[in-house]
Amino acid sequence: MTGKPGNEGVPDPLQSVETIADQLCSTVDGDFNVRIAVTDPTPAVQKLALMVNFLLDNVRRSIDAYETQQHELMAAKERAEDADRAKTGFLSVVSHEFRTPLNGVLGGVHLLRNVKSPEAKAAADIIDQSGRRLLDMVDDLFLYIQVASQGQAEIITAPTDIGPLASEAAAFAADTLTTREVTLEIQCEEGLLLDLDNRIAARALAGLIENAALASDKGGTIRLAARSGDDGAVMEIIDSGCGMDEEMARRAATAFSTASQSSTRSHDGLGLGLPLARGFAELHGGRLEIESRIGEGTAVRLHFPRPADAAAAVA
């Protein structure tokens, strides 16, 4: 059947739309550089082709902007990773370089103690106390570097009796406890075993004990407890000291920060107690929880899964 007389040579709008659709098919493979071209002079067809080309231009510009953004994000990520590696390397070198002369200084303190002079012995005590404090800070810094780079940290776990571990941590924190005149009560479930890296565990717990002692009033009491549960085990350090609000707790859990950032804060230190404890828990498949209120004290809990669950969490 033929078209109406007089319509010979007049473009069919439906055929033109099919032509546009055929040209659009090439965009299925992601080629949005297509330009729709039609010879049909019908205004509606021309308007359709114009709008389709406008949409394709917008899609192409959006893709270009997205790709540019992805390249910038990738470059920024690489710069951040380079900076983090440089920071970690710097801190590691500094820690080592501090440790060596400090050990030499502490090793020579005993010579001053042999001098028959009260002033010399007093000076030796000050040097020994200050040197050991610096050495502890260097050790914490070096340990934090290892814990913070979780993908690179090498931990050696073994079944660890929490009772003796708590006593070892208390020994690390003994100077702070004595200075602050704070009593530490240890209440650990007998025979409680966890697969832990004992070296990191003792220092991490000691840092939490020292934090609690520093936050407590002189003559106060803090408690270190450990117990098992259905989901694993919990170790907690509880004090009845000054406490923190949410913002202070957030800052305290950030490395090289403290709950109080003022220049007149009453306690010195690198601010690694909570970050080190959190990294220690996460390295062993656990987590850290802080519960604190201003004027009521703080409870820091380390939750650890059962040994089999911990292995799965770390893997």
Side-chain angles (χ1 to χ4, degrees), residues 18 28 45 47 63 69 78 87 100 106 120 143 178 240 243 251 256 286 309 315:
E18 288 184 7
V28 173
V45 173
K47 186 175 182 179
I63 291 174
Q69 184 184 48
E78 291 175 355
K87 178 195 71 176
T100 302
L106 292 173
L143 202 57
T178 301
S240 55
R251 286 201 306 267
F256 308 111
D309 296 335

Side-chain angles (χ1 to χ4, degrees), residues 32 34-35 52-62:
F32 292 97
V34 175
R35 299 295 298 176
V52 171
N53 282 328
F54 175 75
L55 291 174
L56 287 173
D57 287 341
N58 280 342
V59 170
R60 187 164 53 251
R61 281 193 292 270
S62 296

Side-chain angles (χ1 to χ4, degrees), residues 304-315:
F304 295 94
R306 291 184 296 268
D309 296 335
V314 173

Side-chain angles (χ1 to χ4, degrees), residues 9-225:
V10 177
D12 182 356
L14 290 178
Q15 183 63 43
S16 298
V17 171
E18 288 184 7
T19 300
I20 293 174
D22 289 340
Q23 295 179 59
L24 276 175
C25 285
S26 62
T27 64
V28 173
D29 295 327
D31 181 11
F32 292 97
N33 293 311
V34 175
R35 299 295 298 176
I36 302 301
V38 292
T39 58
D40 189 338
T42 304
V45 173
Q46 288 294 322
K47 186 175 182 179
L48 176 61
L50 181 65
M51 292 303 298
V52 171
N53 282 328
F54 175 75
L55 291 174
L56 287 173
D57 287 341
N58 280 342
V59 170
R60 187 164 53 251
R61 281 193 292 270
S62 296
I63 291 174
D64 290 343
Y66 173 78
E67 290 178 346
T68 299
Q69 184 184 48
Q70 289 300 107
H71 287 311
E72 291 174 351
L73 287 173
M74 186 62 68
K77 179 175 178 289
E78 291 175 355
R79 288 195 298 271
E81 290 175 346
D82 288 342
D84 187 63
R85 282 191 291 269
K87 178 195 71 176
T88 299
F90 169 75
L91 291 175
S92 180
V93 170
V94 168
S95 297
H96 174 74
E97 293 304 320
F98 265 111
R99 189 197 308 264
T100 302
L102 275 174
N103 281 325
V105 169
L106 292 173
V109 167
H110 73 280
L111 296 177
L112 281 176
R113 289 203 169 108
N114 292 331
V115 177
K116 295 181 178 180
S117 164
E119 292 80 6
K121 291 181 179 179
D125 289 340
I126 293 173
I127 294 172
D128 184 65
Q129 184 179 15
S130 299
R132 292 189 184 284
R133 179 170 170 273
L134 281 173
L135 193 58
D136 285 344
M137 291 171 63
V138 169
D139 287 340
D140 284 346
L141 177 59
F142 187 72
L143 202 57
Y144 175 74
I145 293 169
Q146 294 179 294
V147 168
S149 55
Q150 292 192 19
Q152 306 169 17
E154 294 184 4
I155 61 174
I156 302 174
T157 62
T160 302
D161 191 324
I162 302 304
L165 173 65
S167 298
E168 183 179 353
F172 276 130
D175 287 346
T176 302
L177 291 168
T178 301
T179 301
R180 296 292 298 173
E181 299 176 14
V182 172
T183 301
L184 173 65
E185 295 181 352
I186 298 177
Q187 301 172 356
C188 294
E189 180 181 316
E190 188 174 352
L192 177 58
L193 297 176
L194 286 174
D195 284 338
L196 301 175
D197 185 313
N198 188 77
R199 177 180 56 95
I200 301 176
R203 293 299 305 184
L205 285 178
L208 294 180
I209 294 170
E210 290 176 339
N211 279 1
L214 292 172
S216 299
D217 294 330
K218 286 198 173 186
T221 299
I222 60 180
R223 182 166 65 93
L224 191 165

